[in-house]
Amino acid sequence: MAKDGFRILDSDMHIMEPHDLWLRYIDAEFKDQAPRGRASENIRDLGVDWPGDAPIGRVTSGTPHRGHNYERNQLLYVDHAARGWAPAVQLEAMDVEGIDVAVLFPTRGLNILTRPTLEPRFAAAIARAYNDWLYDFCQEDTGRLLGAGMISVYNVEDAIAEARRCATELGFKSVFVRSNIVNGKAWHDPYYEPLWDVLEELGLPLGFHEASGSSAPQVGEQFEPNFGLRRIYSQPFEQMLGLGSFLGGGILARHPDLRVAFLEANCSWVPWLLWRTDEGFEREGDIFMPDLKELPSEYFKNQVVVSVEPDELPVRHTISELGSSQLVFSTDYPHGDSKYPVAVESFLEMPISDDDKRKILWDNCAKFYSVAGVPQPSGSA
């Protein structure tokens, strides 16, 4: 389907889960506790109700205002919502943009495992239910719709078991977590080492995906109730903190075959953070970064990708500093800041070279997710 001669692989496209996903898919013993998606006049309402549970004050879900962007999305996605955000709708949206293949991430599911008080077995059941639903969703076209599986880190053994299932039974191309900490353990804590071992063994990439709200402590919450400021800071700052654990915390140094993506948080901050982390290593690395044998930025170049927004003009400075080999493309459909239906078109207008565009739109992402080639359209000979 190449658009203007470019193959397109969306590193981070979103689905809209049905309200009753967990009611239908969760293990029977947890059905009475299953979270329920909330419906309202907002066709993209991301709210979730937890039966018998008091609400947590800090979570911010959906769009808690009625500004210009809200009105735009109400009109833009009215047909998609009326048709239940079904797999056929997803594929049509990809066709509109010219996307050949998309890796799918959740919407409600981005916040569903951020509650610090979740019982580990229940959290694991929530992840399994989402993954079972996503597997069924992807069956509409398994060549074009690729799953990113949810894992629960409330018990690391549960995360390991589900990562294995995602790779070996469900055929997903990655697993994902949020950068912000939900269990009191930073990502470079020894607690996670068995998980990194298994992801290396499976050759399964890990995606870190942030959002503007969380039930766990999050950088942007200091701006409440100003959601506009919260959205500006929450995603990139949380991703910076997560990347810091993987670089300075030695995770990548200890796990040279681990591949990690940092998604939906822009990429233009990366050159500064790498410079700052390298400076920290040169000053105090012998004491605080003992596992590193080279500059943190070298581990980044070998093992990490970061997504670029379709209209992120400062990407040209990132490319000037680092090249384009660590950048992947994301439309963020159908979220509030997506440029759908002209996300790809907007990116193609960016003042960067065609060679960089090809690498960002397909080559880097295909390598990261181990996508061999462009699939044939559904129903073709």
Side-chain angles (χ1 to χ4, degrees):
M1 179 191 295
K3 186 178 180 71
D4 297 344
F6 293 91
R7 297 176 295 173
I8 315 293
L9 205 169
D10 192 337
S11 70
D12 171 29
M13 194 180 198
H14 290 269
I15 47 79
M16 286 286 290
E17 305 94 318
H19 300 154
D20 60 352
L21 182 159
W22 284 280
L23 277 173
R24 289 191 287 126
Y25 280 83
I26 203 163
D27 297 342
E29 68 172 296
F30 297 109
K31 197 169 290 286
D32 62 340
Q33 304 174 55
R36 279 86 159 156
R38 191 179 307 142
S40 72
E41 78 286 353
N42 179 356
I43 62 173
R44 295 184 57 263
D45 196 323
L46 314 185
V48 174
D49 292 324
W50 298 78
D53 199 7
I56 292 178
R58 63 163 44 95
V59 70
T60 302
S61 295
T63 305
H65 56 77
R66 296 293 184 265
H68 297 303
N69 198 47
Y70 169 83
E71 299 297 340
R72 168 191 178 271
N73 285 305
Q74 285 287 95
L75 294 172
L76 179 61
Y77 296 123
V78 63
D79 176 65
H80 302 215
R83 296 164 62 199
W85 305 97
V89 175
Q90 196 84 25
L91 290 164
E92 287 175 18
M94 291 168 63
D95 291 344
V96 167
E97 284 283 14
I99 296 168
D100 296 287
V101 181
V103 181
L104 303 179
F105 287 78
T107 296
R108 286 188 177 89
L110 288 178
N111 279 327
I112 210 78
L113 293 183
T114 64
R115 295 159 62 92
T117 56
L118 273 182
E119 193 275 320
R121 290 181 63 251
F122 180 35
I126 289 173
R128 285 194 303 273
Y130 170 79
N131 292 335
D132 287 343
W133 172 83
L134 182 61
Y135 173 84
D136 288 346
F137 187 95
C138 292
Q139 297 313 295
E140 184 81 8
D141 191 331
T142 57
R144 298 185 68 194
L145 303 175
L146 307 181
M150 180 186 295
I151 57 174
S152 166
V153 297
Y154 294 88
N155 181 312
V156 74
E157 294 301 324
D158 291 334
I160 290 169
E162 192 61 10
R164 287 194 183 279
R165 192 173 78 97
C166 286
T168 62
E169 297 180 26
L170 304 181
F172 289 170
K173 289 296 185 178
S174 72
V175 292
F176 78 91
V177 290
R178 291 276 300 267
S179 280
N180 69 301
I181 304 302
V182 300
N183 59 3
K185 295 178 173 60
W187 295 109
H188 55 278
D189 191 287
Y191 168 86
Y192 298 105
E193 287 295 303
L195 176 59
W196 312 146
D197 286 336
V198 168
L199 294 182
E200 274 192 298
E201 171 199 326
L202 295 169
L204 189 64
L206 175 67
F208 274 83
H209 196 296
E210 260 312 301
S212 297
S214 177
S215 294
Q218 189 186 40
V219 169
E221 72 181 47
Q222 64 185 288
F223 293 109
E224 285 296 324
N226 189 326
F227 181 79
L229 284 173
R230 178 172 188 149
R231 191 182 68 80
I232 289 168
Y233 286 94
S234 289
Q235 281 138 301
F237 275 37
E238 292 291 339
Q239 295 287 56
M240 289 184 199
L241 295 171
L243 181 55
S245 273
F246 276 76
L247 296 175
I251 300 171
L252 298 179
R254 295 189 296 273
H255 301 276
D257 294 323
L258 182 62
R259 292 172 290 156
V260 187
F262 290 85
L263 304 166
E264 200 173 314
N266 310 135
C267 69
S268 304
W269 47 267
V270 172
W272 171 82
L273 184 65
L274 293 181
W275 171 81
R276 180 72 170 171
T277 310
D278 283 352
E279 181 185 56
F281 175 74
E282 291 168 348
R283 294 179 60 179
E284 294 138 347
D286 56 333
I287 300 173
F288 297 109
M289 306 179 194
D291 292 325
L292 275 63
K293 307 304 180 189
E294 53 188 345
L295 290 172
S297 58
E298 293 303 311
Y299 295 100
F300 175 89
K301 293 173 185 176
N302 290 327
Q303 296 170 254
V304 179
V305 298
V306 181
S307 65
V308 57
E309 304 298 315
D311 59 346
E312 190 177 347
L313 282 172
V315 69
R316 62 193 188 275
H317 304 305
T318 300
I319 293 171
S320 175
E321 289 291 324
L322 302 174
S324 59
S325 296
Q326 271 63 56
L327 302 179
V328 293
F329 174 73
S330 167
T331 63
D332 199 34
Y333 166 92
H335 286 183
D337 51 358
S338 173
K339 298 299 180 286
Y340 177 85
V342 294
V344 173
E345 181 180 322
S346 299
F347 182 80
L348 290 175
E349 293 174 355
M350 295 268 256
I352 60 177
S353 72
D354 283 355
D355 183 57
D356 288 327
K357 289 174 184 174
R358 287 190 186 91
K359 290 168 69 176
I360 294 169
L361 289 170
W362 182 270
D363 294 352
N364 300 339
C365 202
K367 179 181 179 182
F368 182 81
Y369 287 119
S370 299
V371 175
V374 179
Q376 293 295 311
S378 299
S380 64

